[in-house]
Amino acid sequence: MSTFKPRDWGSHAPYIAPGYKSTILRGPTQAPLAIKSGLSEGTGPRFAPASVRKLDFDLTKNGITNGEPLGERIVVHGKVMDTDGRPQPDILVEVWQANAAGRYVHKVDQHDAPLDPNFRGSGRCMTDANGNYVFYTIKPGAYPWGNHFNAWRPNHIHLSLFGPGFATRLVTQMYFPGDPLLELDPIFLETQDASARERLISKFSIEKTEEGFALGYQFDIVLRGRNATPMED
């Protein structure tokens, strides 16, 4: 059975962040209790490559109905690692995002921007034997949200990971380098450690860029420890 080291909360955002208004209503007001992991946390769930369909990893193709999706194609590579930097194979990585115009395929999203009939904005993949993952997508657009006056979310992609046990699950967001909205975004800034915030920003990679097709970005993910990728609250 796997054992898990305690989470280093200094790498993560607080449950309640006044600048991020909805956390005031949903954040817990009592200190969380540390529960010792048992058999169920260390032995499941387990996912296999057969859980992923052929085009799940390619968001530029898995939503096509009558043409190519609009926007800038990108390819995102990364490695999933544990607390000690060991690669984690057979991790299910799920992604979801807005389209190039900043609109989600969801009935709650009423942003006055067009939907793309050829882009559904979600997919998944598995890490290989060396912990590596890859997916193709369209670079998401920024969009307004009602947190404060003239509030806009930076370009970002949501990621959810499921490893060999419930204790390894992580939900996070990947941002893009050089985005001017990062310094104005309460969700990004609620991670108070500046070095931890940097771990949320992907790195442009000319080596991963595919000539004539897609720009490459690298986003490595550490599940726990002092170098952990910050989680959503």
Side-chain angles (χ1 to χ4, degrees):
M1 183 185 74
S2 300
T3 57
F4 304 105
K5 297 180 180 179
R7 182 168 289 123
D8 179 1
W9 290 102
S11 297
H12 306 291
Y15 284 122
I16 299 177
Y20 183 8
K21 289 183 179 179
S22 65
T23 64
I24 298 174
L25 298 176
R26 71 170 187 257
T29 57
Q30 302 294 324
L33 298 176
I35 300 175
K36 185 178 180 180
S37 61
L39 182 64
S40 62
E41 289 84 4
T43 57
R46 297 273 179 173
F47 297 96
S51 304
V52 179
R53 293 170 296 186
K54 182 178 180 180
L55 291 179
D56 278 353
F57 80 104
D58 192 343
L59 282 67
T60 70
K61 295 180 180 178
N62 66 19
I64 285 179
T65 59
N66 58 10
E68 295 292 325
L70 299 175
E72 177 186 330
R73 289 187 297 250
I74 62 173
V75 54
V76 178
H77 293 253
K79 184 183 289 291
V80 179
M81 295 167 280
D82 69 3
T83 302
D84 300 312
R86 295 172 296 198
Q88 298 298 291
D90 299 324
I91 301 292
L92 179 68
V93 182
E94 300 174 307
V95 298
W96 66 97
Q97 63 170 89
N99 66 19
R103 180 88 180 264
Y104 287 93
V105 181
H106 196 286
K107 63 182 180 181
V108 176
D109 189 347
Q110 297 300 309
H111 174 31
D112 186 18
L115 288 170
D116 186 338
N118 297 300
F119 186 76
R120 71 185 187 202
S122 61
R124 56 186 179 173
C125 59
M126 298 285 295
T127 60
D128 65 15
N130 297 311
N132 296 309
Y133 72 92
V134 60
F135 63 90
Y136 292 83
T137 189
I138 299 296
K139 187 175 182 180
Y143 57 84
W145 62 309
N147 188 75
H148 57 277
F149 175 73
N150 207 13
W152 289 76
R153 292 285 351 262
N155 312 93
H156 64 280
I157 297 175
H158 300 268
L159 299 98
S160 169
L161 297 94
F162 250 124
F166 280 107
T168 62
R169 188 168 188 252
L170 170 70
V171 178
T172 190
Q173 297 185 32
M174 183 196 99
Y175 298 96
F176 291 85
D179 191 330
L181 290 173
L182 288 174
E183 295 305 316
L184 302 173
D185 182 59
I187 296 180
F188 175 72
L189 295 174
E190 73 177 45
T191 299
Q192 298 172 6
D193 185 328
S195 62
R197 286 200 301 271
E198 289 297 313
R199 296 196 288 274
L200 291 169
I201 303 174
S202 61
K203 296 178 175 62
F204 171 71
S205 173
I206 193 64
E207 290 79 15
K208 300 296 185 182
T209 293
E210 298 187 11
E211 184 176 2
F213 184 74
L215 294 180
Y217 290 89
Q218 181 176 346
F219 188 62
D220 294 332
I221 300 171
V222 178
L223 298 176
R224 281 177 174 267
R226 63 184 178 182
N227 294 319
T229 302
M231 297 187 303
E232 291 186 356
D233 56 15

